[in-house]
């Protein structure tokens, strides 16, 4: 029986479509699964799998399968460790076709519950001579073994998979570099801010020490203490922003990311500070409403307040989460928490749904303050 030609325009178009998916906004596992499904379909393979090598290149970090039922995957359990013929493809990355998988001297056998598999085709996933993994097919239906044409087709699909894996890793590296650069910027900002504040506080304390009984000494001392407290809050906020493992998923990081995104809307950089266990105490439900409120409040500042500065303060004590968005603009002109625009009305209703409240205040120094607070036990 002659081999079918790979000049088949339908198959060539499907290979091209698989390659074009690299540009689509798909998660890597979904894209790899599509590559395996196409490989199985075009070669009549009953089963397919794709293994992605770990960073060291000595084992598999991902293993995506097609053809196994949910029950079979559950029975088999953990993914392969890269032994046997699969391990051979890792150490010797070149195409391998077998009429009977179990006949190969490196065959390691199957775990309990694994369906029997006979014919085998394995193709390395490479880009510019760098190996990213392997694409495996087993049990060609209607034929005793996979063909040379099958090998060529699967090789083309494996190249698409390799480019997808490489792109994913490059994106991760770029994101990591961006995080490091952002942390460096935050560290520099933290250093400059703290030095400036402490220098100013030091001058204030020196003046108080020079005239400890002078008029207003108590008020000035109280002001210096408040400045120290504010500096400590900024240091804490910056430390949390610098973050550790998993910090990018926390409430603090989400707030900081949102505020930075809104800086162009507001027209200047908005300061952010946190007090209390914000990440651990604030539920997802409260966090979502917190972010909605920050977005609406800062958008109002940018559109209507004519402010030159603004700050966001998120605090958590034992019973509630409190948000303050304060600006030095023209204020709300007598607007209270029971009226205001449609946006503020929506925020008030959202707060009340969480058994909380939204307040609008006019600080003595001018400007406006939107205060949103809800109980933590929501």
């Amino acid at each position: 029986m002659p081999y079918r030609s790979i000049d088949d325009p339908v198959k060539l178009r499907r290979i091209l479509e698989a390659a074009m998916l690299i540009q689509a906004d798909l998660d890597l596992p979904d894209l790899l699964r599509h590559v395996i499904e196409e490989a199985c379909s075009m070669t009549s393979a009953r089963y397919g799998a794709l293994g992605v090598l770990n960073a060291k290149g000595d084992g598999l970090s991902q293993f995506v399968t097609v053809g196994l039922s949910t029950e079979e995957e559950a029975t088999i359990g953990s993914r392969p460790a890269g032994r046997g013929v699969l391990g051979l493809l890792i150490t010797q990355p070149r195409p391998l076709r077998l009429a009977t998988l179990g006949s190969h001297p490196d065959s390691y056998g199957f775990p309990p519950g694994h369906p029997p598999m006979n014919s085998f085709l394995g193709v390395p996933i490479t880009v510019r001579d760098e190996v990213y993994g392997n694409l495996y097919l087993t049990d060609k239906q209607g034929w005793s073994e996979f063909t040379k044409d099958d090998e060529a087709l699967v090789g083309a699909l494996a190249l698409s998979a390799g480019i997808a894996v490489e792109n994913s890793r490059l994106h991760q590296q770029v994101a990591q570099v961006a995080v490091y650069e952002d942390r460096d910027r935050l560290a520099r900002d933290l250093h400059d801010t703290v030095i400036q504040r402490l220098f100013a506080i030091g001058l204030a304390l020196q003046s108080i020490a020079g005239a400890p009984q002078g008029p207003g000494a108590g008020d000035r001392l109280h002001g210096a203490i408040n400045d120290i407290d504010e500096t400590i809050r900024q240091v804490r906020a910056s430390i949390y922003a610098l973050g550790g493992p998993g910090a990018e998923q926390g409430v603090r990081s989400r707030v900081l990311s949102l505020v930075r995104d809104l800086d162009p809307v507001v027209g200047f950089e908005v300061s952010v500070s946190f007090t209390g266990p914000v990440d651990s105490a604030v539920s997802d439900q409260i966090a979502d409403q917190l972010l909605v409120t920050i977005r609406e409040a800062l958008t109002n500042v940018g559109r209507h307040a004519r402010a030159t500065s603004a700050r966001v303060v998120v605090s958590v004590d034992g019973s509630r989460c409190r948000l303050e968005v304060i600006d030095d603009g023209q204020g709300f002109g007598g607007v209270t928490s029971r009226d205001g625009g449609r946006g503020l009305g929506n925020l008030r209703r959202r707060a009340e749904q969480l058994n909380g409240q939204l307040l609008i205040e006019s600080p003595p120094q001018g400007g406006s303050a939107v205060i949103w607070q809800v109980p933590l036990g929501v």
Side-chain angles (χ1 to χ4, degrees), residues 87-247:
L88 177 66
L89 285 171
I90 293 174
T91 58
Q92 300 178 27
R94 53 178 176 267
L96 177 64
R97 288 186 295 121
L98 301 172
T100 305
L101 180 58
S103 65
H104 194 278
D106 287 335
S107 179
Y108 191 76
F110 299 111
H114 198 290
M117 296 180 176
N118 293 311
S119 55
F120 174 87
L121 170 61
V123 177
I125 297 172
T126 60
V127 178
R128 291 186 293 275
D129 297 326
E130 182 172 353
V131 181
Y132 288 98
N134 291 286
L135 178 56
Y136 317 99
L137 302 176
T138 60
D139 276 12
K140 182 176 177 67
Q141 301 176 77
W143 192 247
S144 60
E145 61 181 299
F146 292 94
T147 68
K148 275 283 188 181
D149 288 352
D150 293 332
E151 182 180 315
L153 284 168
V154 175
L157 289 170
L159 178 60
S160 297
I163 295 173
V165 174
E166 183 182 51
N167 283 351
S168 175
R169 292 183 176 177
L170 288 174
H171 283 307
Q172 292 175 358
Q173 292 173 5
V174 169
Q176 190 174 36
V177 169
V179 169
Y180 289 147
E181 290 178 347
D182 195 43
R183 289 180 176 179
D184 286 342
R185 179 187 62 80
L186 287 170
R188 290 193 299 271
D189 291 347
L190 172 62
H191 175 270
D192 294 343
T193 300
V194 170
I195 292 299
Q196 292 170 6
R197 277 188 166 273
L198 292 179
F199 182 74
I201 293 169
L203 291 177
L205 291 176
Q206 286 179 8
S207 67
I208 295 171
Q213 304 302 323
D219 291 339
R220 284 183 289 156
L221 182 59
H222 183 71
I225 292 172
N226 287 338
D227 286 343
I228 292 173
D229 288 340
E230 178 62 25
T231 302
I232 292 172
R233 282 194 292 271
Q234 288 197 3
V235 169
R236 286 175 174 168
S238 297
I239 290 173
Y240 279 112
L242 291 172

Side-chain angles (χ1 to χ4, degrees), residues 1-8 11 40-45 140-143 145-153:
M1 180 178 179
Y3 293 158
R4 290 171 294 179
S5 172
I6 60 172
D7 292 332
D8 184 338
K11 290 185 177 181
C40 288
S41 175
M42 284 192 280
T43 62
S44 300
K140 182 176 177 67
Q141 301 176 77
W143 192 247
E145 61 181 299
F146 292 94
T147 68
K148 275 283 188 181
D149 288 352
D150 293 332
E151 182 180 315
L153 284 168

Side-chain angles (χ1 to χ4, degrees), residues 18-37:
M20 293 299 291
L21 276 178
I22 297 171
Q23 303 299 324
D25 187 19
L26 291 177
D27 290 336
L28 181 62
D30 293 335
L31 196 153
L32 296 180
R33 180 174 296 277
H34 179 79
V35 168
I36 304 169
E37 290 172 344

Side-chain angles (χ1 to χ4, degrees), residues 27-72:
D27 290 336
L28 181 62
D30 293 335
L31 196 153
L32 296 180
R33 180 174 296 277
H34 179 79
V35 168
I36 304 169
E37 290 172 344
E38 284 292 280
C40 288
S41 175
M42 284 192 280
T43 62
S44 300
R46 186 185 305 274
Y47 305 105
L50 193 152
V52 178
L53 293 179
N54 58 26
K56 293 182 179 179
D58 57 1
L60 301 177
S61 64
Q62 296 184 56
F63 194 75
V64 184
T65 63
V66 166
L68 295 173
S69 67
T70 303
E71 293 75 15
E72 286 172 330

Side-chain angles (χ1 to χ4, degrees), residues 355-374:
N355 300 318
Q357 61 181 167
L358 178 76
L359 305 173
I360 300 173
E361 297 182 352
S362 298
Q365 67 273 22
S368 62
V370 175
I371 300 173
W372 175 92
Q373 52 193 14
V374 299

